Amino acid sequence: MKLSKIFSLFLSILILFISCEKKQSSLRDGTFIGKGNGRNGPLEVSITVKDGKIVDAEITKDAETPNIADNAKKEIIERFLKDGSTAMLDAVSGATITSNAILDALDEAVAISQGIKKSSVIYKDSECDIVIIGAGGAGLTAATEAASKGAKVLVLEKMAIVGGNTNFSTGGINACYTKEQERLGIKDSKEVFYNDTMRGGQYLNDPNLVRTLIDNSAAMVEWLQAPMIGADLSDVGAFGGATNKRIHRPKGGGAIGAHLIPLLQKAALKQGAEIRLNNKVIDILSNNGRACGVKVAYAGGEYTVRAKAVIVATGGFGANPEMIEFYQASLAGFATTNHKGATGDAFKMVEKFDAQLIQMEQIQIHPTVVKGTGIMITEAVRGNGAILVNKAGRRFVNEMETRDIVSAAVLKNPERSAYLIFDQNVRDSLKAIETYAKQNLLSEGATLLELSRMIAVDAVALEYTIDEYNKAVLAKKDTEFGRNTESMERTISTPPFYAIEIEPAIHHTMGGLKINTKAQVLNKLNLPVPGLFAAGEVTGGVHGAQRLGGNAVADICIFGKIAADSALEFISK
C-alpha cells in the first residue's frame, strides 16, 4: 500500500474517532423518554445520561404479550448499553415489530438528549394518480405494481407500521405449476387446486375469483421472486385442505410475512410510491358516483387527496369484537390473531357508492393459536409432521383437515384446547419453529414421559398414541383418521420432544366488498363503481366459508397487483 493511502486511511479513522467522541459528548445529562409502536400498542423507553455518557436504559411502558418478546427486550437493551448507540443493532428474529419499536424509542430518546426535536410534518391537500388505503400486503403489492408503471402513488396507513396482518403470516403463498414445484418433483394441477379451494370454502366461493387466483398463482410467485422484489419462495410444503404440496415459503420453512413485507415496502418506495404512516383515511370522496380521492386525519389535522382512482386494501374486521358478534354471535368472546388495526373501517366509507357486501357472516377461526396469547402457530408445523392430542394423550382429528373441522374438534375437548406434539426432527425441518422457541412458547422433554409430566397429559396414552402414529407413517396410511400422507413424512421419534398448548381463535374474515375478476368494487346492481378497486381481506367471495392456509397471501398479492393494473387501465381511459 502506498504511503499516501496509509496516511489517508489513518486520517479517516482519526476523523471518525473524533466525530464519535463529539457525538457522545453532545448528550445532555438527565433522563429522557423515547416512544415507539409495538405489536400491541405504544412502547416507551427511558435512557439515563451522566457525564455525557449513557449509563442506563430501560423499557418503562409496553403493551407486548408477556414473555413473548422478553428475549428481544433484554437483548436490545443490553447491546444498546454496550454500544451506546442503535447504529449496529438489528431486530431480534421472532420479535421484529417489538424490536423495531424499541430501536425507534431509543433513537428518539437519544435525539431528545441531544436537543433534537422530532419535526412535525404538515400535510396539505394534494393530488395523485392512485391513492391506496392500507399498507398491508395487498396495498404494498398494488403500490409496487402501479408505481413501477409510472403512476404517482400515495399509500395511506392508519397504523404506525406497515404490513397489517401480513406481518404475522407464517405460512406461505399457494401456487401451482410453478418452477419450484417442478424442481422438487411435485405434481399438482390447477383443477386439483381449484377443487381443494372450493371444497374448503364449502362451495360458497365465487368460481370466477377462484379461477383468477389459481390462473395467476404461478406468475405471482415469479413476480415476487424477480429482482424488483427478490423474495425467497424456494421451499414448498403441505398445508391443511391441500391435496398436494403447493405452499411456497422461504428456504427452510421460514415465516412468509416477516420476509415479504420489508421487501414489498422497499420495492414500493424504490419504484416511487409514497407511504404515509399514522394517516387514517376517514372518508372516500365521490364525484357523481365516481371515487375521486380520500379525506385523511392525522396528528396535524385533516387534509384531502384528489386521485384518479382509489384502491381499498384496509384488511378485514377480525379485531372488531362488536362487528364479529354482530355477524357471528357464536364467536363472541373469542381471542383473535388479528392486529388491532383490523377493524373494518372501509365498510362505512363505501356506503355512499351503494357498494355490495357479501358473506360477512363467514368468519374463520384458526385451530392452533397459543392459548391465551393470540399468537398463531403456522399450519406448517402440522404439515411437517406434528400431531394434535387432547389431555387424555390421544389424537382426536385428522390434523390436516380444513381449519373449521380441526377447530370444531379442538373445541369439543373438555378444556376447549389441545397440544401440538412434535420432535426435534420436525423442528429442524421448519425455520418458523425457531421463532416460537425464541418466544418461549415450547414445552420440552428429553423423553415423552418427561414431556407428558410437563404438560399434565396421560403418559401411557401419549406414548401409545405416538407409537401408533409412527406405525401409520411407516405404513404410509393413517387408518384411524385418514391424514394425507403428504404431511406424514416424519415419525415423531427424535428427542427432545416438544408441545405447545393451543386453542382456536378468530383469524380471517372471509366476507367483505364484492369485486369482479378485475378487482373492481361492485354496487348492489352488480355494476362496477367507477374509480373504486379493492384487494385482500377487505373483499369477499374468494374464500367462501373457509380459507385454506396459503390462499390469503396468494389473494392479497394477486388481487393487489390486479387492482393496480385495473386502476391504471381505468385512468388511461
Side-chain angles (χ1 to χ4, degrees), residues 48-84:
T48 301
V49 180
K50 185 177 181 181
D51 297 329
K53 295 183 179 180
I54 298 168
V55 296
D56 194 20
E58 64 175 332
I59 297 171
T60 55
K61 176 183 177 182
D62 79 89
E64 306 305 87
T65 306
N67 300 321
I68 301 305
D70 287 352
N71 287 342
K73 297 173 189 175
K74 182 180 178 182
E75 182 176 336
I76 290 176
I77 293 297
E78 286 179 352
R79 289 166 58 194
F80 172 75
L81 287 172
K82 181 180 178 181
D83 297 347

Side-chain angles (χ1 to χ4, degrees), residues 6 9 12 74 150 169 240 259 313 351 397 407 440 483 523 572:
I6 295 174
L9 178 62
S12 298
K74 182 180 178 182
S169 175
H259 173 66
E351 287 181 350
V397 69
S407 293
N440 300 315
R483 178 167 166 158
N523 64 21
S572 71

Side-chain angles (χ1 to χ4, degrees), residues 5 104 142 199 225 241-242 282 285 293-294 302 333 385 406-407 464 510:
K5 288 187 176 181
D104 288 344
R199 182 174 62 250
Q225 290 176 316
I282 56 177
L285 304 180
V294 294
E302 296 181 357
V406 179
S407 293
Y464 175 81
M510 271 78 66

Side-chain angles (χ1 to χ4, degrees), residues 77 93 127 146 172 268 304 422 442 455 499:
I77 293 297
S93 175
E127 296 181 354
T304 59
F422 54 97
L442 309 184
I455 61 177

